[in-house]
Amino acid sequence: MDDRDLELRNHTYRAFVELGRAPDPEEVAARAGSSGDGVIASWSRLHDEHALVLDPTRTRIVMANPFSAIPTPHRVLAAGRWWFANCAWDAFGIPAALDTDGRIETACPDCDDPIALDVVDGTPERADLIFHCLVPAGGWWDDIRFT
């Protein structure tokens, strides 16, 4: 990842937060003084480096960790807006990324019981919950959308 890709990644994340959704290439291009094709090329390199995840056409963002561009069971209220997280673990990353308190709402993947907790000053209010990942960390990027 070169300096220009890193700069475009930063523009992409800022746009995601400001818009409350994944930006399209033209929106990032306008902010970065680039072209839509230039942004797509940069995003493709960032995708290859696991810095974000694109759809199969490599023209739209699916994940910009910890944010999900598609609906998931993991919702987070932070900075006055609801966000989707890619997974339960990333749900904690949203208040951290936004440097604010947050509320996480999800469901138990085993029994589907609702789970809700607040994160205040970077600390979850509950200590009784367990995060379990079926895929070992070394295999996450084999199929990051499943993981």
Side-chain angles (χ1 to χ4, degrees), residues 74-86:
H74 316 289
R75 295 177 0 118
V76 180
L77 178 61
R81 178 181 281 158
W82 283 100
W83 306 90
F84 288 108
N86 300 303

Side-chain angles (χ1 to χ4, degrees), residues 20-108:
R21 60 168 174 77
D24 63 39
E26 292 73 25
E27 289 169 324
V28 174
R31 295 163 183 265
S34 183
S35 68
D37 288 341
V39 169
I40 290 170
S42 180
W43 282 358
S44 185
R45 290 187 296 274
L46 292 166
H47 173 92
D48 291 342
E49 294 290 327
H50 301 164
L52 50 79
V53 178
L54 299 175
D55 72 353
T57 69
R58 289 194 173 216
T59 60
R60 299 280 177 223
I61 295 171
V62 176
M63 297 178 189
N65 294 332
F67 304 100
S68 175
I70 58 176
T72 70
H74 316 289
R75 295 177 0 118
V76 180
L77 178 61
R81 178 181 281 158
W82 283 100
W83 306 90
F84 288 108
N86 300 303
C87 65
W89 186 256
D90 278 350
F92 289 97
I94 291 175
L98 299 175
D99 194 26
T100 189
D101 296 338
R103 178 168 182 80
I104 298 169
E105 295 184 359
T106 189
C108 174

